[in-house]
Amino acid sequence: DIQMTQSPPSLSASLGDKVTITCQASQNINKYIAWYQQKPGKAPRLLIRYTSTLESGTPSRFSGSGSGRDYSFSISNVESEDIASYYCLQYVNLPLTFGSGTKLEIK
Amino acid sequence: EVQLVESGGGLVQPGRSLKLSCAASGFTFSDYNMAWVRQAPKKGLEWVATISYDGSSTYYRDSVKGRFTISRDNAKSTLYLQMDSLRSEDTATYYCASLLPGYPFAYWGQGTLVTVSS
């Protein structure tokens, strides 16, 4: 199974800050990583797939990058509506595996 | 508008069974592979099972193999998860989600809570 090591577990940011979350896979996942946003009590929402492709409706302040085993997800100009937990997912192999999540809070 | 609506969750004793359903609308259900993803209270997301668009192939995480069965009825646009021999560690909100090649979990239901407790 591919393990996804996500960090940090939590982030505290001010409005307008840029924040970055990382995921490291236990093996090369060939850019098959997606990023999800989950607000309390809601289902996750797909934001980015294949490392850096923004889904329709995803604001341009969200971005993703990486290759091989190492990937990152960033939010520039954090807004109050970005308060949520964020998860990475590798989908190159079964079992599909998620990172442990990052909770974003506003200072 | 795409909709996935889960039902069937509830409180069940350890060792008993439960069957979840997920009714789909707003897209061509029979074109999509589908999956169940769960989330234990205050925990992260965990893939549970996947079924191919025509039901011919199924895949499970190791911890549910032999206990859970994923199935679908394309005529009814409905996905199912039969859960047998339930354990306390199966307690979670269960989400159904779509799986197209290159579009992992693009659509999600609202989730249904399964609590396994005596």
Side-chain angles (χ1 to χ4, degrees), chain B residues 6-61:
Chain B
E6 300 96 337
S7 60
L11 174 63
V12 61
Q13 293 178 327
R16 303 299 290 264
S17 299
L18 206 60
K19 187 171 185 176
L20 307 182
S21 299
C22 171
S25 61
F27 65 105
T28 306
F29 181 73
S30 57
D31 285 348
Y32 283 68
N33 301 331
M34 296 295 295
W36 289 96
V37 176
R38 68 185 179 185
Q39 186 170 35
K42 306 290 188 188
K43 299 293 186 183
L45 300 165
E46 184 175 81
W47 168 79
V48 175
T50 288
I51 187 167
S52 60
Y53 67 98
D54 61 355
S56 63
S57 299
T58 56
Y59 310 90
Y60 301 90
R61 69 179 302 104

Side-chain angles (χ1 to χ4, degrees), chain A residues 85-106:
Chain A
S85 292
Y86 294 86
Y87 295 89
C88 63
L89 166 78
Q90 70 78 18
Y91 58 103
V92 69
N93 279 349
L94 289 176
L96 306 180
T97 44
F98 290 91
S100 53
T102 297
K103 187 174 183 178
L104 174 62
E105 298 173 328
I106 303 298

Side-chain angles (χ1 to χ4, degrees), chain A residues 8-27:
Chain A
S10 62
L11 269 177
S12 184
S14 299
L15 298 177
D17 280 356
K18 178 177 181 178
V19 298
T20 298
I21 299 167
T22 63
C23 268
Q24 183 176 66
S26 58
Q27 64 189 68

Side-chain angles (χ1 to χ4, degrees), chain A residues 52-74:
Chain A
S52 57
T53 301
L54 269 60
E55 281 301 284
S56 173
T58 300
S60 59
R61 65 179 181 276
F62 293 92
S63 64
S65 65
S67 62
R69 295 175 56 210
D70 297 306
Y71 298 86
S72 63
F73 167 85
S74 295

Side-chain angles (χ1 to χ4, degrees), chain A residues 37-45 83-85 87 103, chain B residues 6 39-43 45 93-95 108-113:
Chain A
Q37 177 191 65
Q38 187 180 31
K39 296 187 176 181
K42 300 293 188 182
R45 171 194 170 194
I83 296 172
S85 292
Y87 295 89
K103 187 174 183 178
Chain B
E6 300 96 337
Q39 186 170 35
K42 306 290 188 188
K43 299 293 186 183
L45 300 165
T93 294
Y94 286 73
Y95 296 98
W108 294 73
Q110 85 286 354
T112 187
L113 177 62

